[in-house]
Amino acid sequence: SQLNSFDSIIVRSATTVRADLIDAAPNLKVIARAGVGLDNIDVTYAESEGIRVINTPAASSRSVAELVFAHILTVSRFFHTNNRAMPVKGSTDFKALKKNSSKGLELMNRSVGIVGFGRIGQEVAKIAVGMGMNIYAADPFVNETTLDFTISGHDISIPIKTIELEDLLAKSDFITLHV
């Protein structure tokens, strides 16, 4: 039927492509994941049927790294609690809320531990450099790498050696997982 005559499928993370769907599409040539992982696709079966499986592994690295820093800034400045408390207590207890917020941490000279130093972990490290943070990275597959990037027209190149996970846990003010 016309319904099953398509050549490609493009999915995100929530849609699964398993053998039954692959078998129902006899003209299928490509399965594409608009994202990083392929765990929602039966890659082995698709490839055994001659179907190419592709993804976009670097597409969201910067977005995820920025989200990491949104969370770090949130917890270091109490945004998560103040966002809820201000509408309820802001007009009656503003001074106490303000005092609580002033106990937040500046990120300059703090340490971020990055567990998993692939694309996303390295993007987190680049933002940490811009924030003036110390970087500790642990990854069983990466021993040493160089962060190469440009900030405000300046080329930056920073060598990073990974350390043991136990050392990272002991030295880090913030820890982010990218495994």
Side-chain angles (χ1 to χ4, degrees):
S1 85
Q2 288 281 24
L3 185 60
N4 297 351
S5 64
F6 49 88
D7 294 326
S8 63
I9 299 174
I10 301 172
V11 297
R12 300 260 322 169
S13 58
T15 305
T16 58
V17 181
R18 304 291 180 223
D20 59 335
L21 179 60
I22 293 168
D23 289 341
N27 294 336
L28 191 59
K29 295 172 184 65
V30 176
I31 302 170
R33 161 76 196 276
V36 177
L38 293 171
D39 55 316
N40 57 320
I41 300 170
D42 189 339
V43 176
T44 303
Y45 184 73
E47 290 177 346
S48 75
E49 294 294 309
I51 299 166
R52 185 162 182 223
V53 179
I54 59 174
N55 64 347
T56 56
S60 62
S61 299
R62 184 64 184 200
S63 294
V64 173
E66 289 178 4
L67 183 60
V68 166
F69 269 88
H71 287 295
I72 288 174
L73 289 165
T74 293
V75 297
S76 68
R77 292 297 179 165
F78 306 106
F79 294 148
H80 57 298
T81 55
N82 288 342
N83 188 44
R84 291 189 172 127
M86 188 60 73
V88 176
K89 299 178 182 179
S91 60
T92 59
D93 207 9
F94 181 77
K95 286 184 180 181
L97 292 172
K98 183 178 175 185
K99 184 175 182 178
N100 187 46
S101 293
S102 69
K103 296 176 186 173
L105 301 173
E106 290 184 357
L107 298 185
M108 177 74 79
N109 296 319
R110 298 287 177 179
S111 299
V112 62
I114 305 167
V115 180
F117 209 56
R119 288 182 188 96
I120 294 171
Q122 290 178 31
E123 286 297 320
V124 170
K126 291 173 186 177
I127 296 172
V129 167
M131 301 292 280
M133 298 182 80
N134 300 311
I135 301 164
Y136 297 110
D139 190 314
F141 305 106
V142 178
N143 183 30
E144 184 175 352
T145 191
T146 302
L147 299 177
D148 292 314
F149 56 106
T150 302
I151 295 179
S152 300
H154 299 283
D155 293 329
I156 309 290
S157 184
I158 300 172
I160 302 283
K161 287 187 179 183
T162 57
I163 62 174
E164 293 297 318
L165 179 60
E166 295 77 20
D167 294 334
L168 178 146
L169 295 173
K171 294 179 176 184
S172 302
D173 297 305
F174 301 92
I175 297 170
T176 180
L177 307 175
H178 305 284
V179 296

